[in-house]
Each structure stands twice: as structure tokens, then as C-alpha cells.
Amino acid sequence: MEDNVKELENQALKELVKVNDFKSLSEFKVKYLGKQGMYTALLKEMKNIPSDERPKFGAIINTSRQKIENIIYETEERLNAQELENKLSQQKIDITEPAKNTQQGQVHPLYKVMNKIIETCVEMGFTVVDGPEIETDYYNFEALNIPKDHPARDMQDSFYITQNLIMRSQTSAMQIRAMETMKPPIKIISPGRTYRADSDATHSPVFHQLEGLVVDENVSMIDLKAILTQLLKTLFGDNTKIRFRPSFFPFTEPSVEVDATCPMCGGKGCPRCKGSGYMELLGAGMVNPTVLENCGIDSKKYSGFAFGFGLDRFAIIEYKVPSIKMMFENDIKFLSQIK
Ligand code: DAH
């Protein structure tokens, strides 16, 4: 019996030296140590020897089996090392190859301009409020003193969703929402997307506005002039000249349009400002008392002023872009040039 064990062990050791891959190692394991394997067969033969000799032979078989298991383990280690070696010699790293170009994202130029104006306004004490882009006819027009069928609606060629729902054509709608929910003193700005059925080099169906509103006791045209002058000088520099021209908006009385020296030519006159030296930047005015009353604010006690910027115009001036459309085409080549 002892000889049998020795013989099996020698045979196993001879085979194991030849094992050179994981497949033959696994076949080896099955052949010698598996349930139907040769060591198991040897154990089964123990029933043929006298019972007092069995423990001795059992120990001999187990020791031999353990020896084989240890060498299997070593063989596994050897094969793993061999495999790693092979991979390393096959996979060469070419350190001269140029690195893959990873593109870094950045804030859209329009939002850079928007953020700059928001920051300046917040420093001046304004709070930012946000509102829906799909508005009711009431907030977008009626409450702003633009009744149904009023010719003033023609100024804004609007996208209607239903008779009563509209893609907001102006952020002025947020004046109403603010005055309905806040008590004076109110000092808010509301930036966001607006929509009109307009499309040419200087108009896009989607564009951006920033609305401002101040309501308190004793607010006058002087406050409007002071705040807008300060705001525009902060944005365009101290040497910028500001000009207020009479205008008309149904929700303000009196109304003005505000121009600043053309940033392209510094006021000398150029094609961009059509030779005038000025660029129209925003609409503004004293909040019409009818609008205050529409929102439940006592127009005898309180007054206010409002203003509305076209943000896209700011952005195309700031970055000297020929057409507003380029801002919305999502052409990475164009956008990544604007730092
Ligand atoms: N909502 C106006 C527009 O889109 C701009 C405007 C004018 C806003 C006067 C105002 C304002 O708040 O007082 O043309």
C-alpha cells in the first residue's frame, strides 16, 4: 500500500512539472484530487486493509496529497507570473504618443454676461427671483396693462400655446408675480428666457431678458436714473455716457429707453450703432399706477420703477459677435473661442 502511494505521488509529480497552462492544471486537479480522482480511489481501497493499519495508511495518503496540493499552489503562482510577463511583453506603452485631447467645458458666453449683470445687481441690493417660461395671458399682458386686442400686443409677436397660455414674450411678467407675493419695499431682478416669433441677424425666437423692479414709498424717476446709470457704468466702465430717451410701454408711465455710448466705437459712430455713437440697451419707466393696483399695491402710498434688459444684445456687444443666432447654434468651435 505504501508503495502504491509513493508510485502515485511520483507519477503526479512528473506530470505536474510538465503543466504549463491553466487548462492542463485544472485537468490535473480533476485527475488526481477530484471526486473520481486517483487519490480518492486510493482512499477507497483502505477498506481492503486491516482496520488497525488504516490510520497509518490514511496519514500517509493525506501527507502525500497535501504535498501535491502545495505544489499545485506553487504551479498556480508560477502560471500567474508567466501570464503577467506575457501581457507586459506584448502590451507596449508608447510614451511618445500625444495625449488624448480632453475638452474642458465652460459657461456659455450668454450666461457669463447674465451672471455678471446679476452679480452687479445683487451687490446693489437686488434679490433674484425666477419664474415660469410658459405664462398665462394675464401675467404676460393683461396685468401689465396690455388688454386683449390692444395694439400694444403687436410690439411682441408671441407664441401662443392655447388662447390663454403663452411662451412668455417678456420677463416683465415677473413684475406682477413679485408684486402679488411680496410686500414693499420690493427690489428684485428676474433673468430668464423669453420667446417671440422673430428671426433675423439681430433677433432669435428664443432670447434672454433681465427684468428689474423697485417698489417703495417715494420712489421717483431720480432713483431710476441713478440706479441705471450706476449699473451701466459698472458694466461698461466709468467713461460710458448714458442717455435717457422718452418712449412708451403700457406698464410704465412715463417710459424711457436707455442708451449707452457704443462699446464698439466708444461714441465716435460706427456701422454697429448706425453712426449714432449710442447703443440702445434697455427699456424702463415708472411703474404705471394701474399695474400697482392690479397687484393690490396702494398706488397712492407706493411708487416704483422697472427696467428690462435684452441680455443677448449685451453678449454680442461684449464678445463682438456678428449674429445673435451664433449664440444658440451650439457650435463648440465658435463657443470655445469665447473666453
Ligand atoms: N418688457 C419690455 C420689452 O420686452 C422691456 C421693458 C420696458 C421692461 C420697460 C420694463 C420696462 O420693465 O419698464 O420690450
Side-chain angles (χ1 to χ4, degrees):
M1 187 72 182
E2 217 173 326
D3 289 345
N4 287 355
V5 178
K6 201 73 212 153
E7 204 177 304
L8 180 62
E9 188 181 301
N10 284 340
Q11 183 192 336
L13 289 175
K14 256 193 220 153
E15 266 185 52
L16 205 45
V17 195
K18 288 189 204 135
V19 166
N20 241 341
D21 56 57
F22 286 106
K23 188 170 168 271
S24 36
L25 182 65
S26 130
E27 281 164 7
F28 176 89
K29 279 194 220 167
V30 174
K31 179 171 171 190
Y32 287 94
L33 307 180
K35 267 193 199 145
Q36 318 285 339
M38 296 171 79
Y39 271 90
T40 321
L42 212 56
L43 278 172
K44 278 181 192 155
E45 274 180 30
M46 292 243 292
K47 62 178 184 297
N48 302 329
I49 57 173
S51 57
D52 55 339
E53 286 184 30
R54 278 182 203 161
K56 186 182 152 203
F57 282 109
I60 290 174
I61 294 172
N62 280 336
T63 312
S64 170
R65 192 189 155 102
Q66 188 60 51
K67 192 171 167 187
I68 299 296
E69 274 173 2
N70 288 346
I71 301 180
I72 288 178
Y73 177 74
E74 281 165 21
T75 312
E76 248 161 9
E77 297 277 279
R78 173 168 58 83
L79 291 179
N80 278 332
Q82 216 170 46
E83 194 176 65
L84 184 67
E85 189 77 6
N86 285 346
K87 267 192 195 156
L88 288 178
S89 65
Q90 278 162 19
Q91 299 171 348
K92 283 205 187 102
I93 298 171
D94 180 0
I95 53 161
T96 62
E97 193 171 322
K100 280 216 180 86
N101 199 3
T102 49
Q103 260 192 340
Q104 203 179 355
Q106 58 169 0
V107 176
H108 191 282
L110 200 58
Y111 281 80
K112 274 192 201 155
V113 167
M114 191 194 266
N115 290 341
K116 188 169 154 191
I117 302 179
I118 292 173
E119 256 170 49
T120 312
C121 291
V122 167
E123 274 167 20
M124 291 168 78
F126 285 87
T127 308
V128 185
V129 294
D130 199 12
E133 287 177 24
I134 295 178
E135 260 303 1
T136 62
D137 186 272
Y138 178 78
Y139 286 106
N140 197 82
F141 287 133
E142 291 239 29
L144 285 162
N145 202 27
I146 313 175
K148 286 202 169 59
D149 304 323
H150 194 281
R153 290 205 179 192
D154 287 350
M155 286 159 74
Q156 303 183 5
D157 212 347
S158 315
F159 291 115
Y160 279 85
I161 294 169
T162 65
Q163 242 188 339
N164 195 35
L165 281 181
I166 181 174
M167 301 297 290
R168 72 174 171 194
S169 63
Q170 49 184 350
T171 42
S172 303
M174 278 308 291
Q175 286 185 27
I176 307 300
R177 290 187 178 274
M179 285 191 279
E180 276 184 357
T181 51
M182 298 166 132
K183 283 201 171 69
I186 298 170
K187 199 172 175 189
I188 58 111
I189 50 166
S190 188
R193 273 190 211 114
T194 39
Y195 304 84
R196 284 183 209 174
D198 260 346
S199 189
D200 57 36
T202 51
H203 295 92
S204 151
V206 54
F207 58 107
H208 297 73
Q209 286 191 337
L210 182 135
E211 190 75 12
L213 173 73
V214 175
V215 181
D216 201 353
E217 289 178 39
N218 302 319
V219 173
S220 76
M221 197 81 182
I222 294 173
D223 301 301
L224 178 156
K225 255 190 102 174
I227 289 211
L228 290 181
T229 304
Q230 190 190 332
L231 180 57
L232 294 177
K233 288 199 170 198
T234 312
L235 292 172
F236 292 114
D238 271 344
N239 295 332
T240 311
K241 280 197 212 118
I242 317 291
R243 181 168 85 173
F244 293 79
R245 280 183 292 110
S247 185
F248 170 76
F249 299 101
F251 35 93
T252 43
E253 183 56 41
S255 304
V256 288
E257 267 171 306
V258 188
D259 305 338
T261 16
C262 171
M264 299 297 211
C265 61
K268 287 193 202 87
C270 67
R272 183 93 234 187
C273 58
K274 297 190 185 104
S276 72
Y278 279 94
M279 195 84 103
E280 183 197 319
L281 288 176
L282 51 117
M286 299 306 294
V287 180
N288 193 317
T290 312
V291 175
L292 293 175
E293 295 293 338
N294 284 346
C295 303
I297 290 180
D298 183 355
S299 63
K300 291 200 181 62
K301 189 168 176 205
Y302 295 106
S303 53
F305 70 85
F307 54 93
F309 279 86
L311 292 177
D312 313 83
R313 177 167 305 180
F314 262 70
I316 59 177
I317 292 171
E318 176 102 3
Y319 298 115
K320 303 188 171 47
V321 173
S323 162
I324 184 176
K325 297 254 175 64
M326 295 172 83
M327 288 288 180
F328 304 114
E329 280 165 353
N330 284 337
D331 177 354
I332 301 286
K333 267 197 218 134
F334 162 71
L335 292 174
S336 58
Q337 281 174 44
I338 297 182
K339 294 291 173 218

